[in-house]
Amino acid sequence: MNTYAYYIKAKAKSDAKSLFCWFSAKSDSRAEREIANILEDADIATGRGTDYQLPQRTGWHAVDDLPREGILDETWCERYTLSADDNMTWESIITDLPPATGTDTVNIASLTFGHRVLAHLLSPAAMLYDINKPLRTQICAIEMNTDAQYEQNLLLACKSIDQIKYFPEKQLWDLVQAIALAFPCDEGAPVLADLLDFLKGYVAITEPGRLDYTHNWIEKWRASKSPARRPAQAPPPHARPGAPRKTSVH
């Protein structure tokens, strides 16, 4: 089962409030049917000529004040807004600045998608839930460093596959660790085409089989990269026994 989150934005000229809803479903198609059923049961129409835009799927935002599953919540958008960077990551609406603290941590779910990927890459031992200021500074520096080819290819590949953007945090951490296993950092930056090939196969498999897929992919990929045994080539004519030697012409 995957987790799905939807934003049903109220149109500017209506008096309605924007809505948020989340639930679990087996597939994208089932999720689309489920949100349609939830809206229909609530007598809420969307699209042209209504008070609401069509439902927009967003990223999963794991916070303590999530509404109950399957409920259309009117208060969510009073506390959270979609990031201007990708229009799918939820961010807290800051009304009053909190007092400064020694740790200055934020929940990882509040970061942009790219920053979440890099945070998971930098935490191979265990998934982080809170990100402190020094780590955020490090993440921003990596994102801006165009010479960090490994991380740049990682970000480009992950952003190229829409399904990954909707992974819950634990699934995203598992994915990044699988990438690090298949493409060790100490072996240099992965070829983008190879990375995309790996990711497409990974997301096509359900959760229980992804670890086996990763190990099988590593074996097949490394076998394909091993140099094939080539037949011995005949030495050039001038190196064969009995071949006439070249002489200098004066």
Side-chain angles (χ1 to χ4, degrees), residues 22 52 56 117 141:
W22 74 273
Y52 293 93
Q56 173 192 346
V117 170

Side-chain angles (χ1 to χ4, degrees), residues 7-109:
Y7 173 46
I8 304 95
K9 184 177 182 180
K11 295 181 180 178
K13 295 182 179 180
S14 74
D15 294 328
K17 291 185 177 181
S18 295
L19 306 171
F20 173 81
C21 183
W22 74 273
F23 51 83
S24 299
K26 288 185 177 180
S27 65
D28 292 358
S29 58
R30 288 198 178 190
E32 291 173 0
R33 293 197 297 269
E34 180 64 15
I35 190 62
N37 291 335
I38 290 173
L39 290 167
E40 183 179 357
D41 290 344
D43 294 325
I44 293 176
T46 61
R48 182 176 298 178
T50 70
D51 290 338
Y52 293 93
Q53 297 181 9
L54 295 173
Q56 173 192 346
R57 186 180 172 187
T58 69
W60 169 244
H61 194 52
V63 288
D64 294 335
D65 59 346
L66 270 173
R68 287 188 295 122
E69 181 173 359
I71 298 298
L72 291 167
D73 189 86
E74 293 184 345
T75 65
W76 176 267
C77 296
E78 297 173 358
R79 305 187 303 276
Y80 301 96
T81 185
L82 290 176
S83 167
D85 292 335
D86 57 17
N87 199 37
M88 62 165 291
T89 302
W90 289 103
E91 298 178 336
S92 297
I93 297 175
I94 301 176
T95 53
D96 295 309
L97 292 177
T101 64
T103 55
D104 191 21
T105 60
V106 297
N107 190 291
I108 191 172

Side-chain angles (χ1 to χ4, degrees), residues 5-250:
Y6 283 92
Y7 173 46
I8 304 95
K9 184 177 182 180
K11 295 181 180 178
K13 295 182 179 180
S14 74
D15 294 328
K17 291 185 177 181
S18 295
L19 306 171
F20 173 81
C21 183
W22 74 273
F23 51 83
S24 299
K26 288 185 177 180
S27 65
D28 292 358
S29 58
R30 288 198 178 190
E32 291 173 0
R33 293 197 297 269
E34 180 64 15
I35 190 62
N37 291 335
I38 290 173
L39 290 167
E40 183 179 357
D41 290 344
D43 294 325
I44 293 176
T46 61
R48 182 176 298 178
T50 70
D51 290 338
Y52 293 93
Q53 297 181 9
L54 295 173
Q56 173 192 346
R57 186 180 172 187
T58 69
W60 169 244
H61 194 52
V63 288
D64 294 335
D65 59 346
L66 270 173
R68 287 188 295 122
E69 181 173 359
I71 298 298
L72 291 167
D73 189 86
E74 293 184 345
T75 65
W76 176 267
C77 296
E78 297 173 358
R79 305 187 303 276
Y80 301 96
T81 185
L82 290 176
S83 167
D85 292 335
D86 57 17
N87 199 37
M88 62 165 291
T89 302
W90 289 103
E91 298 178 336
S92 297
I93 297 175
I94 301 176
T95 53
D96 295 309
L97 292 177
T101 64
T103 55
D104 191 21
T105 60
V106 297
N107 190 291
I108 191 172
S110 68
L111 301 181
T112 63
F113 174 72
H115 285 189
R116 289 162 54 210
V117 170
L118 292 177
H120 292 317
L121 182 66
L122 295 173
S123 57
M127 192 184 86
L128 298 177
Y129 293 91
D130 296 314
I131 309 297
N132 59 31
K133 187 173 182 179
L135 183 55
R136 296 204 308 273
T137 301
Q138 183 182 2
I139 289 170
C140 291
I142 293 174
E143 182 185 42
M144 298 298 292
N145 184 5
T146 57
D147 292 331
Q149 199 60 51
Y150 186 103
E151 291 82 358
Q152 294 298 329
N153 283 1
L154 171 65
L155 289 174
L156 184 57
C158 289
K159 291 178 179 180
S160 297
I161 300 178
D162 286 339
Q163 187 175 346
I164 296 175
K165 299 176 183 178
Y166 301 107
F167 273 15
E169 218 57 55
K170 179 58 168 64
Q171 286 188 23
L172 185 60
W173 183 83
D174 288 340
L175 169 68
V176 175
Q177 303 318 309
I179 293 172
L181 184 63
F183 303 94
C185 294
D186 57 3
E187 294 184 7
V191 176
L192 183 58
D194 292 337
L195 189 50
L196 285 169
D197 182 56
F198 171 78
L199 291 178
K200 289 174 182 177
Y202 185 95
V203 300
I205 295 176
T206 55
E207 185 65 33
R210 285 173 173 167
L211 184 59
D212 287 338
Y213 165 80
T214 300
H215 288 297
N216 292 335
W217 191 92
I218 292 171
E219 292 181 4
K220 292 179 181 178
W221 183 79
R222 289 184 175 173
S224 69
K225 297 298 180 181
S226 298
R229 297 185 63 180
R230 298 178 180 176
Q233 295 182 353
H238 67 268
R240 294 175 190 161
R245 297 172 61 89
K246 289 187 178 180
T247 58
S248 299
V249 179
H250 298 284

